[in-house]
């Protein structure tokens, strides 16, 4: 059996092996309540990674997600009093606009996505600093509970946060596999020149992909903000690396075209298990970034489709 | 009888696209150094305090020039390092991690070997440069040997670097208080501190490497067309590895100047270098596609970025606007430097 045939199955095999390893070393890992809280903790990251999947699926990348989530935590906190639940719409709109601008700059102005999204991330950072007055802000507890308290309840033992994540996953999965837009994404990711030649409006597909990435990042920021009951221009820092890792270890390669949102779900769980293992092995938080950086390199090297790079790797 | 027809009019060929791109950054820099004093003058006029334009300007003064140059020097070193990489058409986003690691290792070695430049502690300086070279080399290896696009390979290596620096310090700050080392900042010759002259010397060295060595010419060859360079017998892999190693040395130099400027080495020493240096390189007119630009462009670019940062403070623009302005500047610079006819699509 060749490696190329095992490759698509590698993510879930990795997940299974990791879970077994961690479980054997520490049987309390399988405690349902503990496991459930681990999964719930990873929800904002998962939502951000879901959005990132769309950007990577078309062969781009979105480096603005972290700053965008930061901006949304600030917007949500500042405008909660004014709009109530409606602040969610403001957040989603902000995410859509920033993402769409990144997409526009990438497709129409020919700026590579890693530069355009990096730059838009700094624009978002500026906006976050402006809205927050460069301070850490806190939500009014009563207002938070009346508007967004439902996010953190339980129904029959299932946390609502998890339900939100699953609903978004189903939505993203539907978008990716059951719509024309999803097929176009696949076409663009598999080979952009071919997609252009067959008359697809590639620019529109790419702009939408970045906009979706922005929307999911905004939702992640909103949930994170409500969870921590506040907003700050640096609150979501540290998410970017983990979101990219989640997408790539899930099996969506940097070159795009294969993988997808279900892979990202597996990838996020892998990240979660690695994190749990590090806590168990008493590797403290400061070293985790290093470990995930190395995991990232390994994941890219394993998944990337080198035939698409046409011999030249810049 | 045939008449000799005049070819293209000289006026039309004077303002070619290439020429505009070549000189635009310098013109922008000159424009900025004049426009900030103008706003300052306008502001004073509104408040009823008249001053002579340029002559009595707080912005256009030697004291402020020194301030801008001091702020520029560490970023200049980092930006020069990444210039070599961008000339090859690749990119290096690992500078924040590399700078932090070099700064922290330098500080630890410096303090444990005596804590003053007058002792064996001076060896910490070459050590830091070697560490930078090693990190750059590893970065290049990951990119070249694993065939990962450089932006992602270096971004990941940057995360590893920052994590490693955090591991070394455990979050602590290390103070480097040696007077001789700090004289980089405190001793001034002709109004400018020594670190400015050190940076100038390193810039000349970089210019020498770029224009007077085989390696420098190879950077341009790889950036101008990698397949062609490969076909003409150039060992592209080796050039790339050397490029990343050289960039690492300049990142380490940036780390040394950053520590010299603030007197503290910590994990956060490398913060913000990535965006500022990339901005400076592209604003200076080095094309992201490779092959065009160089060290002098980067010098102009770094000055543009720092003049904007400083000028915005002088004319009283809020500090939160800076990141956004730089973000827009990057997009504009890349758009202007892109020849749309030669690009079919970008990822």
């Amino acid at each position: 059996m060749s490696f190329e045939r095992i490759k698509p199955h590698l993510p879930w095999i990795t997940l299974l092996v990791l879970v077994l390893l961690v479980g054997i070393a520490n049987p309390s890992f399988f405690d349902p309540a503990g496991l459930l809280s681990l999964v719930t903790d990873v929800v904002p990251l998962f939502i951000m990674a879901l959005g990132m999947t769309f950007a990577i699926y078309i062969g781009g990348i979105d480096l603005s997600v972290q700053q965008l989530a930061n901006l949304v935590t600030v917007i949500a906190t500042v405008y909660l009093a004014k709009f109530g639940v409606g602040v969610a719409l403001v957040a989603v709109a902000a995410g859509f606009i920033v993402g769409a601008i990144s997409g526009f700059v990438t497709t129409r102005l020919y700026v590579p996505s890693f530069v355009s999204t990096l730059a838009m991330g700094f624009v978002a950072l500026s906006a976050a600093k402006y809205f927050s007055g460069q301070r850490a802000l806190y939500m009014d507890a009563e207002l938070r509970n009346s508007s967004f308290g439902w996010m953190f309840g339980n129904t029959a033992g299932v946390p609502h946060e998890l339900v939100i994540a699953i609903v978004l996953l189903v939505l993203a999965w539907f978008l990716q596999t059951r719509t024309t837009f999803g097929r176009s994404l696949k076409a663009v990711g598999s080979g952009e020149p071919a997609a252009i030649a067959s008359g697809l409006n590639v620019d529109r597909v790419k702009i939408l992909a970045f906009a979706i990435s922005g929307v999911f990042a905004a939702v992640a920021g909103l949930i994170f903000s409500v969870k921590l009951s506040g907003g700050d221009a640096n609150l979501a820092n540290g998410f970017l690396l983990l979101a990219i890792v989640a997408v790539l270890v899930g099996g969506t390669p940097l070159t795009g075209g294969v993988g997808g949102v279900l892979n990202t779900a597996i990838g996020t769980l892998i990240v979660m298990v690695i994190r749990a293992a590090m806590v168990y092995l008493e590797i403290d938080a400061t070293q985790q970034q290093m470990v995930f950086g190395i995991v990232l390199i390994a994941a890219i090297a394993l998944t990337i489709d080198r035939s698409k790079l046409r011999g030249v790797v810049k | 009888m045939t008449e000799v027809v005049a070819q293209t009019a000289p006026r039309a060929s004077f303002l070619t696209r290439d020429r505009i791109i070549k000189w635009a950054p310098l013109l922008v820099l000159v424009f900025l150094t004049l426009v900030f004093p103008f706003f300052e003058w306008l502001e004073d006029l509104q408040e009823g305090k008249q001053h002579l334009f340029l002559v009595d300007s707080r912005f256009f003064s030697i004291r402020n020039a020194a301030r801008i140059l001091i702020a520029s020097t560490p970023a200049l070193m980092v930006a020069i390092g990444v210039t070599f990489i961008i000339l090859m058409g690749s990119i290096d986003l690992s500078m924040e991690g590399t700078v932090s690691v070099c700064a922290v290792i330098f500080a630890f070695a410096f303090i444990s070997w005596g804590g003053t430049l007058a002792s064996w502690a001076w060896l910490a300086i070459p050590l830091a440069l070697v560490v930078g070279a090693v990190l750059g080399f590893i970065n290049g290896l990951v990119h070249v040997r694993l065939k990962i696009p450089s932006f992602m390979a270096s971004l990941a290596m940057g995360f590893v670097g920052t994590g490693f620096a955090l591991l070394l310090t455990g979050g602590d700050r290390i103070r480097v208080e040696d007077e001789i080392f700090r004289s980089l900042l405190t001793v001034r010759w002709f109004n400018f501190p020594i670190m400015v002259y050190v940076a100038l010397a390193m810039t000349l060295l970089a210019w020498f490497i770029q224009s007077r060595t085989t390696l420098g010419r190879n950077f341009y060859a790889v950036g101008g067309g990698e397949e062609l360079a490969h076909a003409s017998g150039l060992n592209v892999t080796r050039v790339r590895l050397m490029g990343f190693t050289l960039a690492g040395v300049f990142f380490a130099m940036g780390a040394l100047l950053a520590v010299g400027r603030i007197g503290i080495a910590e994990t956060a020493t490398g913060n913000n270098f990535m965006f500022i240096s990339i901005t400076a390189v592209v604003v200076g007119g080095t094309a992201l596609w490779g092959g065009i630009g160089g060290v002098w462009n980067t010098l102009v670019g770094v000055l543009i970025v720092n003049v904007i940062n400083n000028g915005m403070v002088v004319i009283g623009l809020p500090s939160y606007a800076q990141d956004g302005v730089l973000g827009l500047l990057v997009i504009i610079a890349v758009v202007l430097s892109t020849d749309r006819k030669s690009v079919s699509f970008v990822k």
Side-chain angles (χ1 to χ4, degrees):
Chain A
M1 212 161 152
S2 72
F3 178 70
E4 286 304 315
R5 284 186 59 191
I6 309 175
K7 213 164 148 181
H9 302 290
L10 215 52
W12 68 264
I13 294 174
T14 311
L15 178 61
L16 203 67
V17 170
L18 279 177
V19 166
L20 287 178
L21 280 179
V22 176
I24 290 166
N26 174 24
S28 68
F29 177 73
F30 288 124
D31 168 40
L35 212 52
L36 198 62
S37 85
L38 270 182
V39 175
T40 313
D41 274 346
V42 90
V43 164
L45 170 68
F46 171 61
I47 294 171
M48 189 180 274
L50 265 187
M52 176 79 85
T53 313
F54 285 90
I56 295 183
Y57 197 65
I58 57 161
I61 188 127
D62 190 346
L63 299 180
S64 68
V65 287
Q66 174 177 306
Q67 311 288 22
L68 193 51
N70 279 330
L71 171 62
V72 168
T73 65
V74 171
I75 290 180
T77 311
V78 173
Y79 289 106
L80 181 65
K82 201 166 168 191
F83 296 118
V85 188
V87 86
L89 280 180
V90 180
V92 167
F96 189 89
I97 292 168
V98 173
I101 295 176
S102 295
F104 177 83
V105 171
T106 303
T107 53
R108 298 283 160 84
L109 303 182
Y110 301 105
V111 179
S113 59
F114 76 90
V115 177
S116 64
T117 54
L118 189 67
M120 282 310 291
F122 276 82
V123 174
L125 176 65
S126 242
K129 283 182 180 170
Y130 166 73
F131 284 118
S132 67
Q134 316 204 31
R135 283 173 291 123
L137 306 169
Y138 299 96
M139 286 181 178
D140 181 64
E142 216 167 280
L143 218 56
R144 165 183 177 265
N145 291 336
S146 65
S147 302
F148 289 108
W150 52 271
M151 272 188 186
F152 299 100
N154 274 294
T155 305
V158 181
H160 291 170
E161 247 185 302
L162 201 57
V163 177
I164 296 172
I166 291 169
V167 168
L168 286 174
L169 172 63
V170 170
L171 191 74
W173 177 80
F174 183 81
L175 209 57
Q176 180 203 314
T177 55
R178 291 280 180 275
T179 62
T180 331
F181 171 67
R183 303 233 163 243
S184 317
L185 280 179
K186 178 117 186 152
V188 173
S190 306
E192 205 165 323
I196 297 173
S198 54
L200 200 64
N201 189 342
V202 170
D203 285 2
R204 200 176 64 193
V205 173
K206 286 173 85 174
I207 291 173
L208 260 179
F210 283 104
I212 291 175
S213 174
V215 167
F216 276 92
V219 174
L222 180 68
I223 294 181
F224 200 54
S225 167
V226 177
K227 203 170 183 167
L228 299 185
S229 195
D232 179 349
N234 303 310
L235 198 65
N237 283 3
F239 269 55
L240 177 65
L241 169 65
L242 293 179
I244 301 176
V245 171
V247 175
L248 287 160
V249 296
T252 307
L254 210 52
T255 36
V258 282
V261 292
L262 290 180
N263 289 69
T264 299
I266 296 174
T268 312
L269 291 176
I270 293 178
V271 169
M272 181 201 83
V273 177
I274 295 177
R275 248 199 324 205
M278 287 199 285
V279 172
Y280 176 69
L281 294 173
E282 292 179 347
I283 299 176
D284 67 288
T286 58
Q287 297 165 33
Q288 293 191 7
Q289 194 177 22
M290 210 170 114
V291 174
F292 278 113
I294 294 167
V295 169
L296 178 58
I297 293 173
I300 302 168
L302 280 176
T303 57
I304 202 165
D305 182 357
R306 295 186 176 82
S307 65
K308 271 195 193 166
L309 299 169
R310 285 191 226 105
V312 180
V313 185
K314 289 244 166 162
Chain B
M1 195 180 132
T2 51
E3 267 185 274
V4 179
V5 181
Q7 305 248 309
T8 30
R11 254 180 73 86
S13 67
F14 176 70
L15 276 179
T16 58
R17 193 192 136 78
D18 287 349
R19 207 168 269 165
I20 295 172
I21 287 178
K22 192 173 176 193
W23 293 101
L26 195 61
L27 288 177
V28 169
L29 180 60
V30 172
F31 171 74
L32 284 172
T33 48
L34 294 178
V35 84
F36 281 118
F38 176 72
F39 278 118
E40 200 190 330
W41 179 80
L42 213 61
E43 208 173 299
D44 274 12
L45 193 70
Q46 278 168 351
E47 289 168 14
K49 304 179 289 184
Q50 288 200 24
H51 76 242
L52 280 173
F53 179 59
L54 287 187
V55 178
D56 295 330
S57 168
R58 292 184 301 281
F59 175 85
F60 200 83
S61 61
I62 288 183
R63 179 192 276 267
N64 199 42
R67 207 175 289 140
I68 291 173
L69 289 180
I70 291 168
S72 305
T73 48
L76 176 64
M77 293 298 98
V78 175
I80 285 178
V82 78
T83 303
F84 294 131
I85 309 291
I86 294 183
L87 275 182
M88 295 191 291
S90 301
I91 198 146
D92 191 338
L93 302 177
S94 69
M95 53 282 273
E96 296 195 352
T98 306
V99 166
S100 295
V101 171
C102 291
V104 166
I105 288 184
F106 165 76
F108 276 133
F110 190 77
I111 285 168
S112 64
W113 291 344
T116 166
L117 270 190
S119 68
W120 284 109
W122 67 267
L123 281 171
I125 292 177
L127 176 72
L129 297 179
V130 169
V131 168
V134 169
L135 290 176
F137 184 71
I138 295 173
N139 195 6
L141 272 184
V142 170
H143 161 50
V144 171
R145 291 281 171 228
L146 298 180
K147 292 206 163 91
I148 299 176
S150 55
F151 84 90
M152 208 60 211
S154 57
L155 189 67
M157 280 302 294
F159 284 125
V160 174
T162 309
F164 185 55
L166 202 54
L167 178 67
L168 290 174
T169 60
D172 292 340
R173 304 168 135 205
I174 307 131
R175 288 182 186 282
V176 178
E177 285 163 334
D178 173 37
E179 274 179 27
I180 309 175
F181 182 67
R182 293 303 307 281
S183 66
L184 273 174
L185 179 71
T186 52
V187 174
R188 296 192 176 216
W189 296 333
F190 306 107
N191 292 316
F192 296 107
I194 296 176
M195 60 191 292
V196 172
Y197 298 96
V198 172
L200 186 68
M202 290 304 288
T203 309
L204 285 171
L205 176 69
W207 169 77
F208 181 80
I209 294 172
Q210 170 197 299
S211 59
R212 294 282 180 275
T213 65
T214 324
L215 183 63
R217 245 165 285 159
N218 288 345
F219 289 153
Y220 282 96
V222 171
E226 182 157 342
E227 276 114 350
L228 199 65
H230 185 70
S232 52
L234 190 63
N235 187 343
V236 174
T237 306
R238 198 161 146 262
V239 174
R240 282 194 186 281
L241 277 177
M242 289 180 75
F244 277 94
T245 310
L246 187 62
V249 174
F250 274 90
F251 295 166
M253 201 60 214
L256 292 177
L257 291 183
V259 174
R261 182 180 156 215
I262 309 174
I264 292 171
E266 57 178 331
T267 317
T269 304
N271 284 8
N272 300 325
F273 273 114
M274 188 220 289
F275 195 58
I276 289 205
S277 56
I278 300 288
T279 309
V281 173
V282 297
V283 167
T286 300
L288 271 185
W289 320 104
I292 304 168
V295 169
W296 297 124
N297 292 74
T298 298
L299 176 63
V300 173
V302 168
L303 289 176
I304 289 178
V305 168
N306 281 287
V307 161
I308 288 178
N309 279 347
N310 177 286
M312 283 173 64
V313 175
V314 169
I315 66 172
L317 277 175
S319 61
Y320 59 73
Q322 286 175 9
D323 296 311
V325 169
L326 289 191
L328 296 177
L329 208 61
V330 170
I331 293 177
I332 293 170
V334 175
V335 169
L336 290 182
S337 69
T338 302
D339 185 358
R340 293 175 184 222
K341 277 172 253 156
S342 64
V343 188
S344 54
F345 68 90
V346 298
K347 287 284 184 180

